[in-house]
Amino acid sequence: MRKTLYLKFILAYIIFGFFGFVVVATFVSSMTKEHLQREKAEALYREAILIANTYATDLYNNETSLETVKKQIDALDTFFSAAVWIINPSGLMILDSRNPIDLETEVFVADFDPSIMAGSHYVIGTFFDIFDEDYISVLAPIASDFKINGYVALHYSIKNIATSADALLNISYLMLVILFLLSLIILIFFTEMVYRPLRKITVATEQYADGNMHYEFSVDSEDEMGYLAASLSYMASEIARAGDDQKKFVANVSHDFRSPLTSIRGYLEAMRDGTVPPEMYEKYIDILTNETDRLIKLTNSLLTLNNLNMRGMFLDKSSFDVNNIIRNTAVSFEGTCRKKKIAIELLLTDSITVYADMDKIQQVLYNLLDNAIKFSPTDSIIKIETTEKHNKIFVSIKDNGAGIPKNELKFIFDRFFKSDSSRGRDRRGTGLGLAIVKEIINSHNENINVISTEGIGSEFIFSLPVTDEGEGD
C-alpha cells in the first residue's frame, strides 16, 4: 500500500473542494444572477401594469394632475429603486421620476419602439441608448377605449442585481467552506476506522510473508475490518502452530526412529564382531525384534493417520455389538495389566448394536485403553462403561492416572502432541494415538470429549450411533 491509498483519498478530498468552488463560481453564480433578474423583472412588470391601470390612466383621462402622479411615481421610485417613466407612443417623455416636471422642454426617446418587448416582458440593455449602463426595463401599455395612449416604463440597474447576486454567492461560498470543513469528519473517520486498521493488517501480512508467523497485532473494531484482522491473526497463529507441530513431529519421529535403529545397529555389529557370543544370539534377536516392532508401529501409525485424513475415506460400516468389541479389546491387554497389577472393570449395558466401521472402532478402543494403562499407577482400576441415550451409545474409558494439565487439554488430540507431564512415562509414544482416535470418530460424524483432573485421572467419552432399522450388513 505504501500510503498510496491514503494519498489518493486526500487527493480526492482536495479535488472535491476545488470543483465545489468552481461550480459555485460558475454555474451557481450564473444561475443566481439569472434568477434574480427574472424575479426582479416580474416584480417590476407587475408594478408597471398597476401604475398603467391607475395613475397613468387617470392622467390620460384628465382625472388627476401631473403633480399628483409625479408624487406617486417618485414614491414608487424610492421604494423600488427603479426609474419610473410615462411616455407617449411616439417616445415623448411625459413624466420621469428622476427629473422634475418641465413642460417647456420636450424629451424624446429616440427610435422608441415598443415591439422590442415582443416575446418577453422585459429587456436588458441601455434602452435605446438612453443609459450609460445596462438596466432591466419593462413596459406596460396605458390603454383606454381600446386605444394605447402611452406606456409606463420601469428601469432597474443591473449593478444592483450584481450586488445582490454577490451577497448570495458569498453565502454560498461560506456554506461551501463549512461543508468542506465538516467533510473533514469523513476523512478523520476514514483515517481512524479504515486506514489505520488496514495499515496494521498490511504490516502484519508483510511480517507473515517474511515468515514471522508469531507476529501479533490487534484491531479494536467489531466491524468487517476487525473481523478481517482477527481472521488473519487466527490464520497466522494456526500456521505458526502447524509449523511448530511439524518441527516437533520431525524431532519426535527422528528420535523415535533413531533410538531403535541405533540399538539394532549396535547389537548387529556386536554379533558380527563376536562381542556377543553365539549362545546369547536368541536373547539379542528378541531385543532386535522388539525394536523392529517399535518401528513398524510408528510407521503404521503415520500411514493410518495419513489415510484417515484423506477426503472420501472409505468406512466399512456394519452392525455389531459394541460390548463384544470392548470385551475383546480388554482381553488383549490381560498380560500388560497383570504385570502392572491393573484391573479393568466393565460396566456394560445390555447388548447394543451400533452401525460403524468395526475395525476402526476397535482401534479407537485399543488406543484409548493403551493410553489409560500406560499412565495408570500400579494397583489401580480402569473403568469402561457404556450408556445409551437419545439413540446413541456413549463409551467411557476412565483411569486413575496423573491426569492432564488444564492448559494442555485443548491440545491432546493434536498430532504429535505429548504432554510434558507424560514424557517421562511415554518414551515409546509418538503423540499420534489420540490424533488417530479423533480422526476415526470424526469420520463417523460423532464426537469425543475428555474430562481430566491432575492427580485424579482422565475420562475419555465418545459416541456411536445405535443401529437404525434397515441398516446392517
Side-chain angles (χ1 to χ4, degrees), residues 387-404:
T387 307
E388 184 179 5
K389 290 181 182 179
H390 308 299
N391 207 33
K392 288 185 181 292
I393 185 73
F394 293 88
V395 181
S396 165
I397 300 177
K398 185 176 183 180
D399 63 58
N400 296 308
I404 304 168

Side-chain angles (χ1 to χ4, degrees), residues 93-323:
M93 185 77 68
I94 304 300
L95 286 176
D96 180 358
S97 64
R98 300 285 171 90
N99 292 301
I101 298 175
D102 185 1
L103 299 178
E104 300 297 329
T105 305
E106 293 184 342
V107 177
F108 281 89
V109 177
D111 301 323
F112 174 70
D113 184 4
S115 64
I116 62 170
M117 296 293 180
S120 177
H121 56 269
Y122 74 96
V123 293
I124 297 176
T126 58
F127 199 74
F128 303 102
D129 298 325
I130 295 296
F131 302 109
D132 296 330
E133 59 185 63
D134 288 341
Y135 276 76
I136 295 177
S137 300
V138 298
L139 282 178
I142 304 170
S144 176
D145 297 329
F146 304 101
K147 177 183 177 183
I148 295 177
N149 299 318
Y151 295 91
V152 174
L154 271 69
H155 309 285
Y156 186 83
S157 176
I158 287 295
K159 286 183 178 180
N160 295 334
I161 296 289
T163 302
S164 299
D166 290 341
L168 292 176
L169 283 176
N170 288 336
I171 296 175
S172 299
Y173 283 126
L174 180 60
M175 294 301 298
L176 183 62
V177 170
I178 293 174
L179 179 63
F180 188 74
L181 293 176
L182 288 176
S183 64
L184 281 174
I185 297 173
I186 300 176
L187 182 62
I188 294 172
F189 179 83
F190 173 81
T191 302
E192 295 298 326
M193 304 300 294
V194 178
Y195 176 73
R196 291 188 186 279
L198 189 60
R199 188 61 187 160
K200 288 183 180 180
I201 293 173
T202 302
V203 172
T205 55
E206 290 173 350
Q207 291 291 325
Y208 299 150
D210 290 338
N212 182 15
M213 292 298 172
H214 294 283
Y215 178 80
E216 295 182 358
F217 77 104
S218 63
V219 173
D220 297 329
S221 176
E222 296 182 358
D223 55 14
E224 288 82 355
M225 195 66 70
Y227 180 76
L228 174 62
S231 299
L232 184 63
S233 180
Y234 176 75
M235 179 194 70
S237 65
E238 288 297 302
I239 294 175
R241 191 163 67 86
D244 293 340
D245 287 343
Q246 186 177 18
K247 293 177 183 178
K248 188 185 299 181
F249 164 68
V250 172
N252 288 341
V253 173
S254 297
H255 175 270
D256 288 336
F257 269 100
R258 184 172 61 248
S259 180
L261 287 173
T262 300
S263 298
I264 291 171
R265 180 175 180 176
Y267 289 129
L268 288 176
E269 288 180 349
M271 293 170 67
R272 185 179 62 182
D273 60 19
T275 302
V276 176
E279 60 270 18
M280 298 290 292
Y281 281 2
E282 183 175 353
K283 172 185 175 181
Y284 287 100
I285 287 175
D286 289 340
I287 295 174
L288 293 173
T289 300
N290 289 334
E291 295 298 324
T292 303
D293 288 341
R294 284 181 63 190
L295 292 174
I296 292 173
K297 182 180 179 181
L298 175 60
T299 303
N300 288 339
S301 295
L302 290 171
L303 291 174
T304 298
L305 189 60
N306 181 66
N307 290 334
L308 288 174
N309 282 331
M310 294 175 63
R311 291 188 177 183
M313 178 186 64
F314 176 73
L315 292 177
D316 186 13
K317 290 186 177 182
S318 61
S319 296
F320 60 91
D321 187 347
V322 70
N323 289 340

